Amino acid sequence: ACNKRRGSSGKTVDGTHDDVDMDDVTATSSEPEYDDDGDDDVEESSDDAQNSPNEQKPTHEVISTLVALRRAKQLGLDLVEVNARADPPVCRLMNYDTFRYAQKVKERSAKKKLVERRRHDQTKELKLTARISPNDVKVKANKASQFLNVGHKVTLRVEFKTNDGVKQSLRPKAGAVLFTEFRDCLLNEFGATHVVIQEGKMVGPSHMTITLAPEKK
């Protein structure tokens, strides 16, 4: 027997699948036919109907549920209700298992892209000190360039200490100078083009941060 399966908002007759994309409803059929068997009318569609190049056939027709089920059986397809709120309800003839497989492939692909995008949207943090050596700046800049090259944002955090010789009132200026040196090293030594998305600012009395992002090409 042929199955009538429901979509995201329809009812089910002899079927249990229940999540059909409403945007996939397309209606193709030939001449309308009517039954007087008392069944509810449905608007039916079929993917297998072919139109002659010289003749434009109607894109849909209103027929009874029984006729739609019979037609689906003849074609070896499922009758899927895709819009129960329409008057009459809209159905589509399709191979439901093939359709669901294609939908799952799309969902897996979309999920993979989302995970990849989230991975690239991560913000990495590198810690610096006010008395960091030029060689250590180069090492940190190399690490930052690797993060930027794969799409990550990078936050630089300078930690000031009481024994680093920088007065508290001079810390913002000292941090700005260090950030400038770091960015110059990024660009000149590693070719890591970038933009500042958060300017350098003090975070409490002992830390200063700046956030960089890859430059869009």
Side-chain angles (χ1 to χ4, degrees):
C2 171
N3 291 335
K4 178 186 176 184
R5 302 178 176 178
R6 67 183 173 93
S8 57
S9 62
K11 50 189 177 182
T12 305
V13 177
D14 299 331
T16 57
H17 299 282
D18 60 358
D19 43 356
V20 176
D21 191 343
M22 299 291 289
D23 293 337
D24 285 325
V25 176
T26 56
T28 54
S29 186
S30 55
E31 297 180 0
E33 45 181 304
Y34 301 87
D35 272 10
D36 56 356
D37 53 16
D39 288 336
D40 293 336
D41 282 346
V42 297
E43 189 173 1
E44 179 234 347
S45 62
S46 171
D47 289 335
D48 289 359
Q50 297 181 351
N51 290 336
S52 167
N54 301 323
E55 179 183 358
Q56 292 294 329
K57 295 184 179 181
T59 58
H60 64 279
E61 60 181 315
V62 178
I63 58 177
S64 71
T65 305
L66 186 60
V67 172
L69 286 168
R70 187 183 304 129
R71 190 169 298 177
K73 181 179 180 181
Q74 292 172 349
L75 295 173
L77 299 173
D78 298 306
L79 179 64
V80 181
E81 189 176 61
V82 294
N83 187 353
R85 296 182 180 181
D87 185 20
V90 178
C91 292
R92 182 183 178 191
L93 296 181
M94 67 172 72
N95 185 318
Y96 190 82
D97 291 334
T98 300
F99 173 79
R100 283 301 301 142
Y101 176 77
Q103 287 296 100
K104 288 179 180 179
V105 170
K106 288 182 181 179
E107 290 168 5
R108 285 196 296 266
S109 177
K111 184 177 180 180
K112 183 177 180 180
K113 290 179 180 179
L114 179 61
V115 170
E116 188 73 11
R117 186 163 58 248
R118 286 178 177 174
R119 186 177 71 83
H120 285 174
D121 285 343
Q122 290 180 359
T123 299
K124 302 292 186 177
E125 182 173 296
L126 295 175
K127 294 182 179 180
L128 312 174
T129 62
R131 299 177 65 177
I132 189 171
S133 68
N135 185 63
D136 286 341
V137 168
K138 188 173 181 179
V139 171
K140 295 281 188 178
N142 182 33
K143 191 66 176 178
S145 70
Q146 294 175 19
F147 290 144
L148 292 169
N149 287 338
V150 296
H152 296 313
K153 301 180 183 69
V154 177
T155 293
L156 305 177
R157 179 180 293 272
V158 179
E159 182 180 4
F160 296 100
K161 299 179 180 180
T162 55
N163 61 350
D164 58 19
V166 181
K167 294 182 180 180
Q168 186 168 340
S169 60
L170 298 178
R171 286 175 179 177
K173 184 176 181 180
V177 171
L178 179 55
F179 288 151
T180 298
E181 293 177 357
F182 191 95
R183 293 183 61 201
D184 288 344
C185 183
L186 262 180
L187 186 61
N188 298 330
E189 294 289 338
F190 304 102
T193 56
H194 58 276
V195 295
V196 177
I197 60 174
Q198 180 182 296
E199 295 290 345
K201 64 176 183 178
M202 293 297 299
V203 181
S206 303
H207 295 85
M208 187 172 179
T209 63
I210 187 173
T211 302
L212 312 176
E215 185 177 52
K216 294 182 179 180
K217 298 180 181 179

